[in-house]
Amino acid sequence: MLETICDVMMDAYKRNWITSRDGNVSIRHHDRNHFYITPSGIRKQTLQPDQFKKIGIHGSEWKEEFYTDISANLTPSGEIPLHFGLQRELGQHNGEVRVVVHVHPTYCIAAMHAGIDLSTISDAFPELNRYTKVAPNVGDVPPISQELADECHKNLGLDRDGNIAYDIVGIKGHGIVAIDTSPWRAYEHIERLEHICKIVLASGKY
């Protein structure tokens, strides 16, 4: 599935959801005590499966584990606190896979910059709320910080068993985080919300 993540990040780059070295993704299978995460600073349009970092889960701590010679010389994404908290316990995704995608889609960010709480627009658009549960926005928090991770976890409704109440959350001035059981399913949450944000901004009624 790492190949699929590479395809998703390439598509995100083509859609201007990220610039070359932006964004990060992680994936964990239910029966493994580790997950894979994109490395820091790598150009996402040329991302390769052997560049991913393997992260071991040891209770409340994480530790880098050997995966490939190439990845050994790279560092994990700076947003690893965000990913670790979501991957440590799988909750309702137990028996499946959890994929966490963090990108910076233009219209989602613009809508939040305009003062729109993304969770409030879903009721007016059934094509969004039928398939995607949108959490309340996270406010201005520093990137690559534990504070960002904690605020995202709280707004997503993450509990101690790893259950989440929402599929996607926006971070004001920064981006979004989407979660599902495959890279493309997480991608669809972003695509759906980005499309609606574009409509809302075009309408001027906000």
Side-chain angles (χ1 to χ4, degrees):
M1 203 176 286
L2 296 183
E3 293 88 349
T4 305
I5 291 177
C6 294
D7 292 340
V8 164
M9 294 305 277
M10 169 62 85
D11 201 273
Y13 173 77
K14 289 179 178 178
R15 286 176 174 261
N16 295 316
W17 292 357
I18 53 173
T19 58
S20 289
R21 302 183 193 276
D22 293 345
N24 37 83
V25 185
S26 66
I27 180 171
R28 181 185 176 189
H29 292 78
H30 75 284
D31 56 349
R32 301 174 196 176
N33 290 323
H34 63 264
F35 63 94
Y36 295 93
I37 190 168
T38 46
S40 176
I42 291 297
R43 295 180 65 187
K44 301 310 187 298
Q45 66 268 45
T46 59
L47 180 68
Q48 299 296 318
D50 58 5
Q51 294 177 309
F52 280 73
K53 298 294 293 185
K54 183 179 179 181
I55 306 297
I57 299 170
H58 302 276
S60 61
E61 298 182 351
W62 59 269
K63 183 179 179 182
E64 292 184 38
E65 297 183 354
F66 180 79
Y67 177 48
T68 68
D69 288 336
I70 291 174
S71 68
N73 295 316
L74 301 173
T75 57
S77 167
E79 298 289 7
I80 196 166
L82 167 70
H83 291 269
F84 177 63
L86 291 165
Q87 298 291 12
R88 184 170 55 191
E89 303 292 343
L90 295 185
Q92 71 264 46
H93 288 175
N94 191 23
E96 299 186 77
V97 173
R98 176 168 284 178
V99 177
V100 180
V101 179
H102 174 42
V103 291
H104 310 145
T106 302
Y107 293 101
C108 290
I109 297 172
M112 290 186 285
H113 186 70
I116 300 170
D117 189 319
L118 302 183
S119 68
T120 66
I121 65 175
S122 60
D123 288 344
F125 296 92
E127 64 271 32
L128 174 63
N129 64 35
R130 182 179 178 185
Y131 301 106
T132 298
K133 294 175 288 184
V134 184
N137 295 352
V138 169
D140 288 310
V141 291
I144 61 173
S145 67
Q146 186 62 51
E147 182 183 358
L148 180 145
D150 292 342
E151 290 299 308
C152 286
H153 298 163
K154 180 179 72 175
N155 286 22
L156 283 164
L158 179 69
D159 67 20
R160 293 183 178 181
D161 297 319
N163 301 298
I164 53 172
Y166 299 95
D167 302 307
I168 191 167
V169 63
I171 308 163
K172 187 175 184 292
H174 187 162
I176 61 84
V177 178
I179 305 164
D180 215 301
T181 56
S182 79
W184 286 117
R185 286 178 65 91
Y187 174 98
E188 287 177 14
H189 294 309
I190 304 163
E191 181 181 39
R192 228 171 262 128
L193 184 57
E194 176 78 340
H195 179 63
I196 296 305
C197 287
K198 186 175 182 179
I199 292 171
V200 170
L201 292 171
S203 76
K205 297 180 179 180
Y206 52 89

